[in-house]
Amino acid sequence: MKPVIQPKVTLVGAGPGDPDLITLKAVLALNKADVVLYDALIDPVLLDHAPASAIKLFVGKRVGKHSLPQEDTNQLCVSLAKKHGHVVRLKGGDPFVFGRGAEEVDYIETFGISTEVIPGITSAIAVPAAAGVPVTKRGISESFWVVTGTTSAGDLSKDLSLAAQSTATVVVLMGTKKLAQIVSVYRKFGQQDLPIAIIQSGTTRDEKITAGFMHDIEEKAFENKVEAPAIIIIGEVVRESIRLAEIYREAEKYNL
């Protein structure tokens, strides 16, 4: 007699890139997966946590290289859960931080399929931290904003203009292609000397950090051939990183 299939979809946050930064609860969910649908920023070693018998499908998206439209991924979650049982939707960072996780849950639940969300360590905080940049520090920054660099319409978020007028640390995700616009917003508010860092492939072996000020970051990013995926951190806390200290000591020496 065939076992009764109990469809379920678990959205799992895989963390910021380093496979060791996935949570124990996420690993335990992968251990019980019948199907794994994974994104582009997932380290392939994480798939080893799933049973050898599990179906593993890549459904990721990268700039200019979309694998499956979001609607198709949503439908796959439903059809594969009905056919095989437990689907783990493995997503980079945290599923609910610019990960469209809430949309996936909404869609799946309409089919009466149970869902679970396992939070991941968001790259918005972990990537700066791994580079020695605290998003908050007493006496320097008492809050932080996490802003998308590219809205669903493809534009720079209008929230950035509000953030640029505050003393908060600002972390911009998906903003490398909008660097010139980001700089323009801050210069408009007289913030051309504000420290800024771009961390490409943060927490991984391919990590590359470009740091400077609003007035020179575009030139540095061009020289260093900065590409996505990268996170942009803006604010005085960038100076607090021991790893970046020499850059800012040199700037102070020449009154830059």
Side-chain angles (χ1 to χ4, degrees), residues 151 156-163:
T151 66
L156 184 68
S157 172
K158 292 179 181 178
D159 287 346
L160 191 69
S161 288
L162 299 174

Side-chain angles (χ1 to χ4, degrees), residues 17 75 149 151 173 201 214 234:
Q75 291 168 13
T151 66
L173 306 186
S201 302
M214 280 296 167
I234 303 166

Side-chain angles (χ1 to χ4, degrees), residues 25 27 31 45 51 123 135-136 145 148 172 183 189 200 235 254:
K25 190 167 185 176
V27 169
N31 290 167
V45 73
S123 56
V135 292
T136 63
W145 295 49
T148 179
V172 184
V183 168
F189 295 109
Q200 180 177 327
Y254 296 103

Side-chain angles (χ1 to χ4, degrees), residues 100-149:
R100 302 190 72 172
E103 296 173 38
E104 294 182 16
V105 168
D106 289 345
Y107 182 86
I108 295 162
E109 292 273 350
T110 62
F111 291 86
I113 296 172
S114 67
T115 61
E116 180 181 1
V117 177
I118 298 178
I121 300 173
T122 175
S123 56
I125 299 172
V127 167
V133 179
V135 292
T136 63
K137 188 173 182 181
R138 189 162 51 176
I140 296 175
S141 174
E142 58 194 38
S143 64
F144 64 94
W145 295 49
V146 181
V147 183
T148 179

Side-chain angles (χ1 to χ4, degrees), residues 37 69-82 104 107-108 111 113:
L37 302 179
Q70 182 65 46
E71 294 74 17
D72 289 356
T73 299
N74 293 348
Q75 291 168 13
L76 262 181
C77 286
V78 171
S79 61
L80 291 174
K82 288 181 175 180
E104 294 182 16
Y107 182 86
I108 295 162
F111 291 86
I113 296 172

Side-chain angles (χ1 to χ4, degrees), residues 13 16 18 22 49 53 69 85 103 137 139 143 145 156 161 164 197 205 216 222 233 236-237:
D18 181 344
I22 193 169
H49 292 301
S53 59
E103 296 173 38
K137 188 173 182 181
S143 64
W145 295 49
L156 184 68
S161 288
R205 66 181 70 88
D216 64 6
F222 178 77
I233 306 103
E236 291 297 336
V237 291

